[in-house]
């Protein structure tokens, strides 16, 4: 598709063709990952105890997996409610003024960095839950 542009896509090829497709896969992968984890916990009968961080005195597993689940939920929210709507403005998919684009860049950048920082403790919580290690 990018090669169909007369004279080639040039520098706009990334923001016009590649970034929207990459963001499409990132956001849907985040949603599928969250629902797969929720399904796994529901199937094991531990979704509510993980959601409430083992509030029912279930134990360390529910606390650890629950913290990981909440971190993943925050990350999912960031992708769908902050990163994607703001990236649409930056990429020109949605009309926005220069001031709106500047703000959108900042919000998307901060949300993306937050997701990066949260990914490590989320993975540690998920791994420690299955190995009986305290978080």
């Amino acid at each position: 598709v990018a090669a169909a542009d007369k004279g080639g896509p040039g520098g706009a090829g990334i923001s016009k063709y590649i970034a929207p497709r990459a963001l499409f896969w990132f956001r849907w992968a985040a949603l599928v990952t969250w629902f797969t984890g929720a399904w796994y916990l529901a199937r094991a009968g531990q979704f509510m105890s993980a959601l409430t961080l083992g509030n029912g005195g279930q134990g360390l597993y529910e606390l650890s997996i629950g913290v990981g689940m909440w971190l993943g939920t925050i990350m999912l929210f960031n992708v769908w409610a902050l990163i994607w709507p703001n990236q649409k403005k930056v990429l020109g998919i949605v009309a926005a003024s220069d001031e709106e684009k500047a703000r959108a860049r900042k919000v998307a950048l901060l949300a993306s960095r937050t997701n990066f920082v949260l990914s490590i403790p989320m993975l540690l919580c998920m791994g420690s839950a299955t190995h009986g290690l305290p978080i």
Side-chain angles (χ1 to χ4, degrees):
V1 178
D5 281 356
K6 293 185 184 201
I14 298 292
S15 61
K16 187 174 180 183
Y17 299 105
I18 296 172
R21 288 184 180 159
L23 290 169
F24 171 87
W25 289 106
F26 279 122
R27 72 180 187 275
W28 285 105
L31 189 66
V32 167
T33 300
W34 192 94
F35 275 113
T36 301
W39 172 79
Y40 175 77
L41 286 170
R43 188 185 66 153
Q46 297 172 329
F47 180 81
M48 287 309 293
S49 60
L51 186 68
T52 59
L53 303 176
N55 195 16
Q58 298 291 328
L60 188 58
Y61 173 81
E62 287 79 6
L63 174 62
S64 184
I65 202 82
V67 169
M69 184 175 100
W70 277 106
L71 291 173
T73 302
I74 293 166
M75 293 169 67
L76 178 68
F77 174 83
N78 282 347
V79 168
W80 281 90
L82 298 174
I83 297 170
W84 177 238
N86 286 292
Q87 283 291 7
K88 288 193 291 187
K89 292 177 185 175
V90 172
L91 295 172
I93 297 170
V94 171
S97 67
D98 289 340
E99 296 82 24
E100 290 173 323
K101 286 181 184 179
R103 180 170 165 20
R105 269 187 204 91
K106 186 175 182 179
V107 170
L109 175 68
L110 291 174
S112 296
R113 286 184 178 174
T114 300
N115 275 7
F116 172 73
V117 170
L118 292 179
S119 65
I120 294 168
M122 182 201 64
L123 290 171
L124 288 173
C125 286
M126 298 292 183
S128 68
T130 59
H131 291 85
L133 303 174
I135 52 174

